Amino acid sequence: MQTIVINNQKGGVGKTMFAVHLAWFLAEAGARVLVVDLDGQGNASSVLQGERRAFPSADLFEKKAPAKLVGEAGITVLYRDERLHAIELGHVPYMIKHFAAFADAFDYCVIDTPPTWGARNFAAMAVCDQLASPIELKDFAVEGVKQLLGSIQNVEMKGRGGRKIDFLGLVASRFNSHSRRERGNLEALIGAVSTKMMVPGVVTARDAYEQAMSDRMPVWAIKSQGAKTAATELRAILTHVRDRMVAKKKDQA
């Protein structure tokens, strides 16, 4: 199982939109996809409420082992409940242990994380193979990236025994191509981190993405010209992410 964490320590950047579309994208090819919603807002759980539901994600952080998971083609969701807000660092070892038991049941796991740093983010990064970070091109974007990279290094040393996280890169999200400021911020960000840390392409600010989340369906399932344009740009990005995950799996084989 290849596990990817979608993380940004800031809300409103399109993190959940990206996570659920990645799950839909992987599942449409027949893969067994596990989605773990660790965000207390539960937006991924809500959008994916029509998918197969297993048990609350907070069960992973309990001392007692959660129910056994049987992987099936399509999406299986570990959904949000109120207990997520009480998760502390002392619960993280339980999550790492329980999560390892799912490795052979699924092909992919997508973990949606909360926008503020804490035990749930630490746990997600501790168990992941890859990490992708949607980021808005607002002012101070570079400072946010520095914070993210610091968190990655912290988890690598304290939660992974020095084992590196495969950082797929930053995903330019909700990008306003008509904004001179945002275009300048994108150029500044690329200059600061290099193109190697950027996932190719941008997710443009489009109403179609909001409609997709509201209608609880992939943007490519919506029959409008705007949605078709959005689908083209997003699927190109998701294809790159999937290919990186597949390559990583082959390297580990």
Side-chain angles (χ1 to χ4, degrees), residues 139-153:
D139 293 342
F140 309 113
V142 173
E143 285 76 2
V145 173
K146 291 178 181 177
Q147 183 181 23
L148 172 65
L149 296 179
S151 297
I152 292 173
Q153 292 178 346

Side-chain angles (χ1 to χ4, degrees), residues 159-201:
R160 299 170 61 94
R163 184 167 55 92
K164 296 295 185 180
I165 293 172
D166 182 14
F167 182 46
L168 300 186
L170 306 167
V171 181
S173 183
R174 296 186 174 179
F175 177 61
N176 182 355
S177 60
H178 300 293
S179 169
R180 180 179 299 179
R181 180 181 293 274
E182 290 200 18
R183 294 198 302 270
N185 287 342
L186 177 58
E187 293 175 1
L189 181 61
I190 293 174
V193 304
S194 84
T195 55
K196 293 181 179 180
M197 286 183 61
M198 300 293 298
V199 174

Side-chain angles (χ1 to χ4, degrees), residues 85-106:
H85 297 293
I87 301 300
E88 299 178 350
L89 282 174
H91 300 115
V92 171
Y94 299 134
M95 189 273 195
I96 294 174
K97 177 182 178 181
H98 299 327
F99 188 82
F102 307 147
D104 295 330
F106 296 91

Side-chain angles (χ1 to χ4, degrees), residues 3 16 24 61-62 79 83 111 120 135 171 186 194 197 234:
T3 299
T16 297
W24 280 321
F61 295 87
E62 299 286 349
Y79 50 91
R83 291 175 297 153
I111 304 181
R120 285 171 282 159
I135 182 172
V171 181
L186 177 58
S194 84
M197 286 183 61
L234 184 57

